[in-house]
Amino acid sequence: MDAAALWQRYQDWLYYHKGLEFYLDVSRMRFDDAFVAAMQPKFEKAFQDMAALEGGAIANPDENRMVGHYWLRNPDLAPTPQIKQDIVETIDKIESFVRKVHNGDIHPPSVPLFTDIISIGIGGSALGPQFVAEALAPDFPPLRIHFIDNSDPAGIDRILTKLKDRLGSTMVLSISKSGGTPEPRNGTIEVKTAYAAKNLDFSQYAVAITGVGSNLDKQARSEGWLATFPMEDWVGGRTSEMSAVGLLPAALQGIDIRAMLAGGKEMDDATRVPEIKNNPAALLALSWYFAGNGKGEKDMVVLPYKDSLLLFSRYLQQLVMESLGKEKDLKGNVVHQGIAVYGNKGSTDQHAYVQQLREGVPNFFATFIEVLEDRQGSSLEIEPGITSGDYLSGFLQGTRKALYENQRDSITLTIAEVNARTVGALIALYDRAVGLYGFLVNINAYHQPGVEAGKKAAAAILDLQQRVMQVLKHEPAPISLTHLAEKAGASDEIEAIYKILRHIAANRRGLVLQGNPSQPTSLTVSAN
């Protein structure tokens, strides 16, 4: 396509939202009018399905749940007055609580103000707040935030060591819908123990964000924690950033949560338009479908050209892959759907994997995210008439052009600046795009059976560990792995038993492994 035709295609397919100062350019996706026409019936149905979902239809039949994260941004759309009231009251409660924390009405027992936050969560309950903190937190926030998002003891120790002198002024947010998810439960127990070791009453520092009536909710209320905030049954973890999960930590850091919600609402309004060309989420879904032939045959590489948006690709990785990565469609057919997502930031990645993107395996499409504002205030000239921001813009345009010239397609999103409103809009845009794409390929984007299977498998390993340790308690002499597996009633789980024992022995927890480590069958184990 020559330059004039490409310029015309850019103009023909450019989407612009005046209120949000948001641009979406899909002109470098090589679909043609025939493809768009063929997709039209699928989109008509997807628009209808999305409207039904927002109206309160059961969108997750596995758990008989509605999917209502859109209502968080516009409570007037909630299907019942009670749900609307719950949303409004939760936001009011968050703002009231944060105001009292900031002015010192709510404070730790021995100091006048909280200075830090430990946020304990997993998946979307961590990734959303992390992304927003990186994107929007002021340089000197009223409370600095730290995340425990894994069951890694060394990672937990690192956070607690960093905060050891400020633990007495650090609030703890424990985030878990069920209250039983292992990672946040483990993190909460570890942190609570650290507070006890310093003779600090954990209940005077702790806040729960959880399902009403969950084990965590009951614990928080019985122990008299500072506050509890709800995780609604109809909000999934990966779409929970506009709920208390994301709004509370954001507000505590001084981020304008009303602006986030307003930006999300404005984008939601734009993505309800039942026309492909005038709906930015539909344009994204169309492009994803085209790139991967409706089967996820190409990966999505996300490249934000702004340091503050570094974690957006990681946030999208969960949102897209957990939502769309499904074995079966809604009819029970095995389809193995999904889109792999990876990325870091520009222009850093031009010195990393853009070489492969341009000349290697053409198994991807790129998404560039451009921010027009370089910085607040004027920029010095690195060269006559050229600033650092000009270089960054040039790198983006140059990479986009170089990829296109080598038959690599791309999408470009442009926002005027990174602020609470535009970040809220980006979250809402991808929420909707994922939902529409899920309907296009006829899968349930709102459940995660693979994640649940992993949790069950992990629980089985821990159960096996307890059985094995019970056997070892009564063994007077070293025992072989084979004999141990037989006594534990797990002869077909020898490899798992070996790995359990190796881990326990490496952590000096009362087991001794003897033999040749390179030949596990030679090993014997005994309890100290």
Side-chain angles (χ1 to χ4, degrees):
M1 190 177 292
D2 64 27
L6 201 53
W7 169 234
Q8 187 59 53
R9 180 173 173 82
Y10 174 81
Q11 295 178 79
D12 290 343
W13 282 98
L14 179 66
Y15 173 88
Y16 177 65
H17 190 289
K18 182 178 180 181
L20 291 167
E21 295 182 86
F22 167 85
Y23 301 78
L24 176 61
D25 164 27
V26 297
S27 65
R28 267 52 174 183
M29 302 297 294
R30 287 176 168 83
F31 54 77
D32 57 20
D33 291 344
F35 172 78
V36 178
M39 291 296 295
Q40 189 63 43
K42 285 181 176 289
F43 269 97
E44 288 174 3
K45 184 177 185 304
F47 290 137
Q48 292 170 5
D49 290 341
M50 185 61 73
L53 178 145
E54 285 196 300
I58 297 299
N60 191 348
D62 289 8
E63 300 170 306
N64 195 36
R65 287 181 179 174
M66 298 183 291
V67 173
H69 48 274
Y70 301 103
W71 310 329
L72 297 168
R73 275 110 58 173
N74 188 351
D76 289 337
L77 296 179
T80 70
Q82 184 60 55
I83 291 177
K84 175 182 176 179
Q85 182 180 337
D86 290 344
I87 296 169
V88 171
E89 287 181 353
T90 296
I91 296 171
D92 290 343
K93 183 181 176 183
I94 288 170
E95 291 182 324
S96 174
F97 178 80
V98 169
R99 194 161 46 246
K100 291 175 182 176
V101 170
H102 286 170
N103 66 25
D105 289 344
I106 295 175
H107 62 86
S110 57
V111 291
L113 290 171
F114 282 102
T115 61
D116 294 82
I117 307 162
I118 296 175
S119 181
I120 306 172
I122 190 69
S125 298
L127 288 167
Q130 285 171 343
F131 160 54
V132 168
E134 183 78 14
L136 298 175
D139 293 336
F140 302 100
L143 283 82
R144 290 161 288 189
I145 195 163
H146 316 269
F147 292 95
I148 292 177
D149 62 353
N150 200 0
S151 198
D152 176 10
I156 295 170
D157 286 348
R158 186 178 183 188
I159 296 296
L160 293 173
T161 299
K162 184 185 296 185
L163 288 168
K164 65 178 181 179
D165 295 330
R166 301 197 304 276
L167 210 60
S169 62
T170 298
M171 181 182 294
V172 180
L173 308 182
S174 183
I175 308 174
S176 172
K177 182 185 285 188
S178 69
T181 303
E183 294 92 342
R185 181 204 61 194
N186 297 353
T188 300
I189 292 171
E190 291 253 10
V191 171
K192 185 177 182 181
T193 302
Y195 275 71
K198 288 185 172 288
N199 295 315
L200 298 172
D201 180 358
F202 184 68
S203 66
Q204 300 304 303
Y205 300 84
V207 175
I209 305 175
T210 186
V212 176
S214 73
N215 290 335
L216 179 58
D217 185 46
K218 292 173 183 175
Q219 177 188 358
R221 294 180 188 280
S222 67
E223 294 179 3
W225 288 16
L226 285 176
T228 61
F229 294 88
M231 285 185 75
E232 304 292 355
D233 184 60
W234 37 265
V235 177
R238 57 189 175 276
T239 56
S240 65
E241 178 55 29
M242 302 286 195
S243 73
V245 169
L247 297 181
L248 178 60
L252 287 168
Q253 294 170 83
I255 295 167
D256 186 347
I257 61 172
R258 291 284 180 177
M260 277 181 61
L261 290 164
K265 177 182 180 298
E266 204 161 353
M267 183 59 79
D268 282 340
D269 291 342
T271 56
R272 286 191 189 98
V273 175
E275 303 166 17
I276 296 174
K277 259 195 167 182
N278 293 315
N279 180 327
L283 287 170
L284 285 180
L286 176 79
S287 299
W288 300 352
Y289 196 103
F290 170 77
N293 195 27
K295 299 174 183 176
E297 292 173 358
K298 291 191 176 181
D299 301 342
M300 183 191 306
V301 180
V302 181
L303 295 172
Y305 276 66
K306 206 66 175 176
D307 286 357
S308 61
L309 296 179
L310 167 66
L311 295 182
F312 192 45
S313 56
R314 191 168 171 229
Y315 171 80
L316 291 181
Q317 193 170 60
Q318 188 202 10
L319 175 67
V320 174
M321 295 179 73
E322 192 171 55
S323 297
L324 302 182
K326 301 295 158 64
E327 179 183 19
K328 296 179 179 180
D329 66 13
L330 291 171
K331 294 181 179 178
N333 302 310
V334 174
V335 291
H336 296 298
Q337 276 288 353
I339 301 175
V341 180
Y342 63 94
N344 185 23
K345 67 176 181 179
S347 65
T348 301
D349 285 333
Q350 291 178 208
H351 300 269
Y353 49 70
V354 167
Q355 167 64 31
Q356 175 169 315
L357 296 186
R358 187 172 192 277
E359 297 186 7
V361 183
N363 63 343
F364 73 94
F365 64 98
T367 299
F368 297 102
I369 301 176
E370 177 184 28
V371 181
L372 296 178
E373 182 185 72
D374 290 337
R375 58 158 51 105
Q376 293 187 354
S378 59
S379 290
L380 62 86
E381 293 185 354
I382 302 298
E383 299 167 12
I386 303 294
T387 68
S388 297
D390 295 337
Y391 265 100
L392 188 64
S393 179
F395 290 146
L396 187 157
Q397 291 194 55
T399 303
R400 173 177 173 270
K401 185 173 187 289
L403 291 180
Y404 186 77
E405 288 175 347
N406 224 26
Q407 306 300 305
R408 271 72 168 167
D409 287 356
S410 68
I411 299 164
T412 303
L413 281 73
T414 302
I415 56 176
E417 60 182 290
V418 178
N419 58 35
R421 191 158 158 265
T422 55
V423 165
L426 286 175
I427 290 170
L429 172 66
Y430 277 88
D431 277 353
R432 181 84 56 171
V434 163
L436 285 172
Y437 185 90
F439 288 128
L440 291 178
V441 298
N442 198 38
I443 54 98
N444 183 350
Y446 302 104
H447 69 162
Q448 49 281 335
V451 175
E452 299 306 318
K455 290 179 182 178
K456 290 177 181 177
I461 291 294
L462 294 172
D463 176 69
L464 177 61
Q465 177 175 317
Q466 291 183 326
R467 286 155 49 200
V468 166
M469 294 304 293
Q470 194 63 34
V471 171
L472 286 172
K473 281 182 182 178
H474 300 93
E475 285 297 317
I479 184 173
S480 71
L481 297 186
T482 301
H483 194 193
L484 176 59
E486 290 174 355
K487 286 199 166 190
S491 296
D492 57 347
E493 295 283 359
I494 295 179
E495 181 179 334
I497 291 172
Y498 158 67
K499 291 186 175 181
I500 289 167
L501 298 175
R502 183 179 64 178
H503 174 251
I504 293 174
N507 284 278
R508 299 172 294 280
R509 288 164 55 196
L511 291 186
V512 177
L513 282 174
Q514 293 178 306
N516 184 349
S518 68
Q519 296 177 335
T521 54
S522 73
L523 297 175
T524 61
V525 60
S526 59
N528 281 355

